[in-house]
Amino acid sequence: MKLSEEEIDNIFTECFNELRRNECNDFTHVLIKIFKSICYIIFISFVIYTILYHHQPTLSLVMRNVQGFIYPGLKILRLLSVPIISAYPSLSELYDESCLVQNPYFIVPDMDCYPCENVYSVIDLTGFTNISLYQSGIPYIIKTDLEPVNISTLQDLYIKYKSTFDQDAKRIYSRNQSLRTIEDSLTNELHETEHILWRINRMTPARILRTVFPKPYTISQWSGQSPERYIIIDGENSEPYYIPDMECSYVYTIQGSGRRTILLRPSKECLGLCRTVSVVLNPSEVLFYNWWYWRPISVPFASSKEKSVTYIGSYC
């Protein structure tokens, strides 16, 4: 039987289509198997977590038997990670992170909200001698004799310690796509709606910043300060934003220059028991609060004509 060229082409076309269908079916089958495996792992992890969370004897038994394997396991994991770190050096920045993934659904059940229940305003405790109030969890401000810290101050500091900041604290967050490093932010004219978040979580740049933002006198020498801190630069009309949660629960916010209005909103656990209070932070003033009870929002001050520089740290 003699086939025409058109018939031969149709046969080959049908064969290729059949091969493609088989490949698609195989790929779909592999995806389904991977999806099922992930679902099984999630389900088993959830069951194990539920049992350990709600049954203390089981948790104690597991911890007793697993504890001896923690250090050897981490040592093996560290050795296995060396080739990966060598290939991708930027991953070494994760070493200084205390938390890689934050749980947005975390909530403390039955939390006692007494530090915020009877708070109607942010009080001024400048020069107050009752140290117990400083650690009570209620929000307060103090006035200091801190020299103004503006963008020019940060520029001079950056130029002086450029190599340190470029190595250990160069990254920022900004809505402006052209600003990606602290050098970009300090060498360009900032718009009145600009918002720049500069995060520092290494000790060397943190010590440098303490030369212009010294530790407030209300913080006890026995308190441990977290190396994580933020410097926030805002234009005169930057949009409101939540102040980031810190590693330690006691947070202090130093206003270096400009003015900002801080709205202290109760946390989810205390939303029905506490009310929102606000305070205007003037230059050299420090606001203290406990982020277990408050979720502060920074809002531009209505009549401010100066860019704002705010320094945020925490202690335990």
Side-chain angles (χ1 to χ4, degrees):
M1 178 180 179
K2 187 176 181 180
L3 298 175
S4 64
E5 290 185 4
E6 184 179 355
E7 290 175 329
I8 294 173
D9 290 340
N10 291 336
I11 291 173
F12 277 109
T13 302
E14 183 63 29
C15 290
F16 285 131
N17 289 337
E18 183 67 25
L19 288 173
R20 290 193 188 98
R21 283 194 294 269
N22 291 335
E23 288 178 357
C24 291
N25 290 335
D26 291 341
F27 182 69
T28 304
H29 183 65
V30 171
L31 286 180
I32 292 174
K33 289 183 67 176
I34 293 174
F35 178 75
K36 286 183 178 180
S37 300
I38 294 174
C39 289
Y40 287 145
I41 293 172
I42 293 175
F43 176 74
I44 293 172
S45 300
F46 176 76
V47 171
I48 294 174
Y49 172 79
T50 303
I51 293 174
L52 295 179
Y53 184 79
H54 292 283
H55 195 253
Q56 186 61 38
T58 303
L59 176 61
S60 301
L61 177 65
V62 171
M63 290 302 296
R64 281 199 305 270
N65 289 277
V66 171
Q67 196 167 10
F69 298 97
I70 293 177
Y71 180 76
L74 290 176
K75 186 176 181 180
I76 294 173
L77 181 63
R78 187 165 61 249
L79 293 174
L80 293 175
S81 66
V82 170
I84 300 175
I85 296 297
S86 300
Y88 304 98
S90 60
L91 292 176
S92 62
E93 295 180 6
L94 300 177
Y95 180 82
D96 298 289
E97 298 292 339
S98 60
C99 177
L100 297 180
V101 180
Q102 191 171 16
N103 181 3
Y105 304 104
F106 174 75
I107 189 170
V108 180
D110 302 324
M111 189 169 78
D112 191 351
C113 298
Y114 75 92
C116 69
E117 278 185 305
N118 297 313
V119 173
Y120 298 92
S121 63
V122 179
I123 59 176
D124 186 345
L125 292 182
T126 304
F128 205 76
T129 56
N130 189 346
I131 300 177
S132 62
L133 274 178
Y134 294 149
Q135 307 293 336
S136 63
I138 63 171
Y140 66 91
I141 62 169
I142 61 170
K143 297 179 175 65
T144 68
D145 56 358
L146 176 71
E147 291 292 326
V149 180
N150 50 33
I151 295 178
S152 297
T153 309
L154 296 179
Q155 289 172 339
D156 294 340
L157 199 68
Y158 173 75
I159 292 172
K160 187 176 180 181
Y161 300 100
K162 184 179 187 302
S163 59
T164 299
F165 286 127
D166 286 348
Q167 180 178 347
D168 293 332
K170 69 177 181 180
R171 301 195 179 203
I172 62 163
Y173 165 80
S174 173
R175 301 184 186 97
N176 188 339
Q177 296 299 318
S178 64
L179 302 179
R180 281 291 169 261
T181 66
I182 188 60
E183 182 176 11
D184 298 336
S185 306
L186 297 178
T187 55
N188 290 279
E189 184 65 27
L190 300 181
H191 193 265
E192 64 176 12
T193 61
E194 200 70 74
H195 168 68
I196 294 170
L197 185 69
W198 183 19
R199 181 172 180 263
I200 299 96
N201 67 333
R202 292 185 174 180
M203 288 305 301
T204 303
R207 280 196 294 265
I208 294 172
L209 289 173
R210 283 187 64 174
T211 60
V212 293
F213 288 107
K215 182 180 72 173
Y217 66 85
T218 56
I219 300 178
S220 168
Q221 62 177 341
W222 303 109
S223 298
Q225 281 192 269
S226 167
E228 179 193 44
R229 54 210 66 203
Y230 290 87
I231 288 183
I232 303 178
I233 303 173
D234 291 300
E236 298 88 330
N237 297 311
S238 68
E239 296 180 1
Y241 56 85
Y242 278 95
I243 292 177
D245 295 338
M246 306 296 288
E247 289 181 351
C248 291
S249 58
Y250 290 98
V251 183
Y252 61 94
T253 302
I254 304 175
Q255 192 64 25
S257 60
R259 291 180 174 182
R260 295 292 291 184
T261 300
I262 308 297
L263 303 178
L264 291 172
R265 294 190 61 192
S267 61
K268 291 183 293 186
E269 295 88 342
C270 301
L271 200 56
L273 300 172
C274 306
R275 60 190 57 79
T276 300
V277 295
S278 65
V279 61
V280 175
L281 269 188
N282 298 304
S284 303
E285 291 184 345
V286 188
L287 168 66
F288 292 82
Y289 64 91
N290 189 317
W291 71 261
W292 283 96
Y293 310 106
W294 305 100
R295 294 293 187 271
I297 302 174
S298 181
V299 180
F301 185 66
S303 59
S304 178
K305 302 298 181 184
E306 183 184 1
K307 290 181 173 58
S308 167
V309 174
T310 307
Y311 176 86
I312 304 171
S314 65
Y315 62 98
C316 305

